[in-house]
């Protein structure tokens, strides 16, 4: 089986789209006045609920990516479930070889999560804050399993953003 055959088959599986975020740790954790690190974000379509008791979720992160490196040292992170009108945000955070995540967050309505310190996106259908429980190497990805610390449903407007056949789509 070729990579193209596998990719084509998996593109037929519709999935939800989320924005995974985390904040880099302080440059000097012993100094309370040291600046905190940059906010980091990535679009993910491989995100799912793992367990209700305890509440666990999983996200698949490309090995060696900035988010993979960050989550190896920062156990707190967040997820914003994107709505159908947030397609531009999904595209923005899916870009490869970008210069700075700081610029990607610049004009977005975000609040800082109380449990994680990570940015939570305004207008998201749901937000979750998580603490990493386990990292599992799986091929060229890392499966990050996190315990859900908080879960909110701030917005009931619109439907979810979906990913199908290599494109962002709306249901219906």
């Amino acid at each position: 089986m070729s990579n193209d055959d596998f990719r084509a088959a998996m593109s037929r599986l519709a999935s939800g789209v989320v924005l995974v975020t985390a904040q880099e740790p302080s440059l000097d954790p012993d100094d309370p006045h040291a600046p905190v690190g940059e906010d980091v974000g990535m679009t993910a379509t491989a995100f799912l609920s793992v367990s209700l008791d305890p509440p666990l979720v999983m996200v698949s992160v490309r090995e060696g990516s900035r988010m993979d490196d960050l989550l190896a040292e920062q156990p707190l992170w967040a997820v914003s479930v994107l709505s159908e009108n947030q397609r531009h945000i999904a595209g923005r955070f899916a870009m490869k070889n970008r210069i700075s995540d700081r610029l990607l967050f610049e004009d977005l309505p975000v609040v800082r999560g109380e449990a994680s310190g990570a940015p939570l996106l305004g207008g998201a259908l749901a937000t979750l804050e998580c603490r990493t429980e386990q990292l599992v190497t799986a091929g060229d990805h890392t499966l990050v399993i996190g315990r859900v610390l908080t879960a909110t449903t701030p917005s009931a407007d619109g439907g979810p953003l979906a990913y199908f056949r290599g494109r962002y789509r709306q249901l219906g």
Side-chain angles (χ1 to χ4, degrees), residues 39-100:
D39 290 328
V40 177
M42 66 163 252
T43 301
T45 57
F47 175 77
L48 58 99
S49 170
V50 173
S51 169
L52 184 60
D53 187 18
L56 299 174
V57 293
M58 188 216 60
V59 65
S60 181
V61 179
R62 186 175 40 82
E63 190 175 73
S65 67
R66 185 167 183 201
M67 186 62 76
D68 184 46
D69 293 342
L70 177 56
L71 294 183
E73 67 176 278
Q74 165 61 284
L76 298 172
W77 45 283
V79 175
S80 297
V81 178
L82 299 183
S83 69
E84 60 194 1
N85 63 356
Q86 293 177 316
R87 179 185 304 214
H88 66 288
I89 296 170
R92 179 187 295 193
F93 283 91
M95 292 186 309
K96 293 185 187 332
N97 303 320
R98 55 188 188 245
I99 297 170
S100 168

Side-chain angles (χ1 to χ4, degrees), residues 100-115:
S100 168
D101 280 35
R102 181 180 50 78
L103 297 174
L104 299 179
F105 283 101
E106 198 167 72
D107 62 342
L108 295 180
V110 296
V111 296
R112 190 98 17 223
E114 289 184 28

Side-chain angles (χ1 to χ4, degrees), residues 146-171:
R147 181 180 295 258
V148 179
L149 305 173
T150 69
T152 63
T153 52
S155 175
D157 296 338
L161 183 60
Y163 193 73
F164 180 70
R165 288 191 166 182
R167 292 185 36 211
Y168 297 116
R169 312 219 183 216
Q170 297 173 323
L171 293 183

Side-chain angles (χ1 to χ4, degrees), residues 111-135:
V111 296
R112 190 98 17 223
E114 289 184 28
S116 67
L120 300 170
L121 188 60
L125 296 178
T127 61
L128 303 106
E129 293 183 89
C130 306
R131 183 183 65 242
T132 299
E133 293 273 312
Q134 190 174 3
L135 300 171

